[in-house]
């Protein structure tokens, strides 16, 4: 029984972390119609930037916010200076994002070196929590909480604000959005900034669990892809449900069928795509 | 394709002529061309960069001369991708005309290059741990001065069973050949000494989160053996602590789990962990004291597994060349001597078995704090450890190669 409680909590915590990663990826994918292959690198770069910020600001939450802002600026520059000139050339843009991810990986190696660097857990959250005879790391529960709060904030942004409405319009029908005067190109930059900030802050918040190490980017990108494919491109709800679904499938899958650890994540994705090519909550874009 | 084939024939021709008329084709006074096949980008870069630093240091300390001949060093970077390693080795041989190669770093790259090393008859001093390259499918041009996957794990199992008196243990490792081989060797020796492996876990190499695996760990055991490589052991152990398991289950680790490279980013939580390796920066011999001190001055940290690996291989190469009076052109003689030689190195005295694998000391080490930094202090030495441990080579080789399923684990509890 205890075992199942721990694994359930595990799956929820992992799902929360995945949501921080995948929400931005989904929005960028939905609006700009490109799979942003730098997304894993933004996550890793965020973690490394967080390590440097933590040297001056010894508070993880503050570091996550500062790191998020830095990554937002970085994302904005990438979008304006590199992706913008390739507008309309989706294939070119995807390739460029792949190229940037290699550059980021090597830059991180040059600046921070090749050894894994830990991000310390905030002292108050270091002791594991004891609930009904079950020990569970407190920090993971906090990550889950942050993910839920972030999801609510993003929902309010998308559903209750003008800019959210414009983004939804762009995701659903780009030519029509342009026709009614929505500044789609500025929207692109905004969404890219938002996505980069979420990924970067996610890297820092996930740091006490995963640390920062070369290869973190390649570990995270496929997870973002799977979540978004499963949940549906451009859908916040899809990213949310997809994250927790993948968290659960991963956790219980590897616990129950350890020999299938590699395929366990991809099987549900294949099934969903076979029957619903747009994902669980994705809509056919026009 | 046409180009590579032509270049291959050229290279083969060159190799053959060098073999046939060494004294005529090449003078013995020119520089010796040494290739280092390493990894300087990607996830394995940390170790790969240390390999280059230590080799450069070795050459610098000797005025870039071996056996009276200058040494030209050529460095190849595979990024840790096996296919690329093979291409780069070919480039080192055919364009840079290297005469001997140190490397590659990882098992997969060594396996990918196996055919080519045979074709090109490339003298190879490797770091990669793949068991069968010096066991059931020995490559005549391949020599390893470090350790097979299980060579360092087998003494640790003996230590756990006999000295630490552990009876029941769990093993966990990366789900790759290196992890399988290491755990298999550990299990065999531990169970032959009366212990029981009650749980065996293998996690994918790129697992994002070990929480699932940690929740499954049996806690009614004496210890857990970590067979991880690279940054995975470090990440696993952090999460292990996060779940409050530190102090409840004793942790012991294989040769790459708590390497010096990882220790420098760890804190007090690592104190007291026992690992085994063929090296420690703390080994008390004159060669190592000088090596570790110089390395620390140049780079500000202790040399670990990979730095020591190339430093040891360079010493083996140096000694072999001395015995050959610098005549590296005679490849057959080189291989004969390298497998018969005894060399004092930073890891202690080494010699080689007839399969090309090293016989040397394996150290049981304990993490302690010294001068403010964490070190692997040597607490016990197993001298002259062979890849076959105490088993007879002929009988050892009759068994299948160590794997996920061999030897079968009979004591698993569900």
């Amino acid at each position: 029984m205890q075992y199942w409680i721990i694994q359930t909590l595990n799956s929820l915590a992992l799902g929360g972390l995945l949501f921080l990663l995948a929400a931005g990826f989904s929005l960028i994918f939905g609006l700009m119609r490109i799979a942003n292959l730098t997304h894993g690198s933004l996550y890793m770069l965020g973690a490394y930037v967080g390590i440097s910020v933590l040297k001056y600001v010894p508070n993880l939450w503050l570091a996550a916010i500062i790191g998020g802002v830095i990554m937002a600026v970085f994302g904005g520059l990438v979008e304006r200076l590199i992706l913008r000139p390739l507008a309309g050339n989706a294939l070119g843009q995807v390739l460029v994002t792949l190229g940037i991810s290699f550059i980021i990986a090597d830059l991180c190696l040059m600046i921070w070196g090749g050894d894994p660097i830990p991000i310390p857990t905030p002292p108050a959250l270091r002791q594991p929590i004891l609930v009904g005879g079950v020990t569970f790391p407190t920090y993971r529960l906090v990550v889950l909480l942050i993910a839920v709060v972030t999801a609510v904030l993003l929902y309010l942004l998308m559903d209750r604000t003008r800019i959210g409405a414009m983004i939804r319009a762009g995701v659903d029908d780009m030519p029509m959005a342009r026709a009614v005067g929505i500044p789609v190109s500025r929207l692109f930059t905004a969404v890219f900034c938002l996505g980069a900030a979420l990924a970067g802050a996610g890297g820092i918040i996930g740091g006490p669990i995963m640390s920062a190490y070369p290869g973190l980017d390649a570990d995270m990108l496929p997870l973002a892809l799977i979540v978004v494919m499963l949940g549906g491109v451009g859908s916040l709800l899809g990213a949310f449900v997809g994250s927790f679904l993948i968290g659960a499938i991963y956790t219980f899958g590897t616990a129950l069928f350890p020999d299938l650890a590699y395929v366990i994540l991809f099987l549900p994705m294949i099934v969903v795509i076979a029957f619903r090519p747009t994902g669980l909550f994705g809509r056919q874009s026009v | 394709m046409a180009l590579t084939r032509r270049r291959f024939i050229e290279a083969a021709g060159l190799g053959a002529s060098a073999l046939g008329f060494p004294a005529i084709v090449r003078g013995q006074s020119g520089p010796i061309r040494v290739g280092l096949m390493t990894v300087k980008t990607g996830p394995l870069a940390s170790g790969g960069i240390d390999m280059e630093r230590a080799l450069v240091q070795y050459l610098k300390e000797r005025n870039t001369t071996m056996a009276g001949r200058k040494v030209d060093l050529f460095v190849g970077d595979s990024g840790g991708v096996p296919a690329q390693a093979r291409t780069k080795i070919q480039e080192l041989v055919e364009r840079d005309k290297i005469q001997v190669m140190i490397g590659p770093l990882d098992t997969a790259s060594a396996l990918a290059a196996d055919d080519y090393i045979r074709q090109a008859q490339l003298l190879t001093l490797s770091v990669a741990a793949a068991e069968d390259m010096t066991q059931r499918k020995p490559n005549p041009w391949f020599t390893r001065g470090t350790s097979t996957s299980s060579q360092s794990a087998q003494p640790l199992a003996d230590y756990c069973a006999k000295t630490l008196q552990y009876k029941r243990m769990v093993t966990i490792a990366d789900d790759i050949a290196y992890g399988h081989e290491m755990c298999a060797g550990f299990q065999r020796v531990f169970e032959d000494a009366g212990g029981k492996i009650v749980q065996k876990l293998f996690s994918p190499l790129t697992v994002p989160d070990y929480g699932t695996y940690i929740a499954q760990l049996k806690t009614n055991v004496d210890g857990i053996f970590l067979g991880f490589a690279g940054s995975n052991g470090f990440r696993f152990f952090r999460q292990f602590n996060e779940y409050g398991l530190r102090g409840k289950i004793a942790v012991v680790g294989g040769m790459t789990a708590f390497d010096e490279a990882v220790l420098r980013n760890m804190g007090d939580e690592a104190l007291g962990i026992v690992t085994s390796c063929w090296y420690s920066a703390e080994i008390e011999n004159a060669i190592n004291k000088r090596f570790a001190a110089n390395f620390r001055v140049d780079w500000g940290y202790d040399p670990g597994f990979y730095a020591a690996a190339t430093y040891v291989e360079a010493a083996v190469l140096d000694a072999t060349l001395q015995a050959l009076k610098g005549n590296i052109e005679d490849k057959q003689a080189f291989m004969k001597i390298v497998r018969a030689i005894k060399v004092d190195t930073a890891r202690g005295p080494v010699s080689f078995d007839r399969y090309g694998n090293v016989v040397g000391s394996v150290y049981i080490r304990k993490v302690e704090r010294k001068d403010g930094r964490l070190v692997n202090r040597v607490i016990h030495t197993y001298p002259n450890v062979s890849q076959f441990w105490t088993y007879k080579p002929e009988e050892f080789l009759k068994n299948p190669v160590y794997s996920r399923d061999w030897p079968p684990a009979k004591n698993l509890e569900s």
Side-chain angles (χ1 to χ4, degrees), chain A residues 9-109:
Chain A
L9 289 173
N10 260 335
S11 76
L12 290 174
L14 182 62
L17 202 58
L18 287 179
F19 177 73
L20 292 178
L21 175 76
F25 187 79
S26 178
L27 288 180
I28 294 173
F29 205 159
L31 189 69
M32 299 174 66
R33 311 282 198 274
I34 59 165
N36 172 27
L37 300 183
T38 43
H39 212 74
S41 315
L42 295 172
Y43 182 93
M44 177 173 78
L45 186 59
Y48 277 120
V49 166
I51 285 165
S52 293
V53 171
L54 275 167
K55 284 190 184 141
Y56 304 98
V57 191
N59 178 311
L60 186 73
W61 314 119
L62 219 54
I65 292 170
I66 296 173
V69 171
I70 294 174
M71 292 311 296
V73 173
F74 179 82
L77 289 176
V78 167
E79 204 281 326
R80 280 273 148 177
L81 301 178
I82 300 172
L83 293 179
R84 182 60 54 87
L86 291 169
N89 177 0
L91 210 56
Q93 288 181 320
V94 173
L95 265 181
V96 158
T97 59
L98 182 64
I100 297 170
S101 75
F102 291 146
I103 295 173
I104 292 177
D106 259 9
L107 274 180
C108 288
L109 194 63

Side-chain angles (χ1 to χ4, degrees), chain A residues 238-260:
Chain A
F240 190 77
V241 174
S243 297
F244 286 98
L245 216 54
I246 290 295
I249 291 169
Y250 175 80
T251 307
F252 290 107
T254 47
L256 297 175
F257 315 102
D259 290 347
L260 295 179

Side-chain angles (χ1 to χ4, degrees), chain B residues 176 224 258 268 271 304 344 350:
Chain B
I176 51 174
I224 174 170
F258 291 89
D268 284 344
L271 288 174
D344 270 324
V350 299

Side-chain angles (χ1 to χ4, degrees), chain A residues 3 6-7 10 106 109 114-116 118-119 128 137 140 207-211 213-214 219 223 250-251 254-255 259 261-262, chain B residues 40-43 45-46 175 204-209 211-213 215-216 231 234-235 238-239 242-244 261 264-265 404:
Chain A
Y3 174 73
I6 293 188
Q7 294 292 29
N10 260 335
D106 259 9
L109 194 63
D115 298 320
I119 294 181
R140 285 179 189 236
I209 299 173
M210 327 225 347
S211 309
Y213 56 94
D219 288 358
L223 292 175
Y250 175 80
T251 307
T254 47
D259 290 347
Y262 291 96
Chain B
K40 300 208 285 183
T41 48
S46 168
D175 198 358
L205 191 58
T206 56
V207 65
D209 175 18
T212 324
Y213 294 92
Q216 295 177 54
S231 61
F234 171 84
R235 289 166 53 221
R238 280 199 83 203
Q239 297 182 10
E242 207 192 338
Y243 279 80
R264 63 178 180 264
N265 284 314
R404 237 183 125 114

Side-chain angles (χ1 to χ4, degrees), chain B residues 66-118:
Chain B
M66 282 184 183
R69 290 175 69 175
K70 275 274 167 212
V71 174
D72 282 348
L73 180 64
F74 300 88
V75 181
D77 170 18
S78 71
V81 182
Q84 207 173 326
R86 195 191 178 288
T87 315
K88 292 280 173 175
I89 292 171
Q90 197 165 2
E91 200 176 297
L92 284 172
V93 171
E94 292 172 20
R95 197 190 67 195
D96 299 325
K97 310 270 186 269
I98 60 164
Q99 294 161 300
V100 56
M101 173 173 73
I102 296 181
L105 182 157
D106 59 297
T107 298
S109 294
L111 291 171
D114 188 34
D115 280 355
Y116 183 73
I117 291 171
R118 288 169 197 259

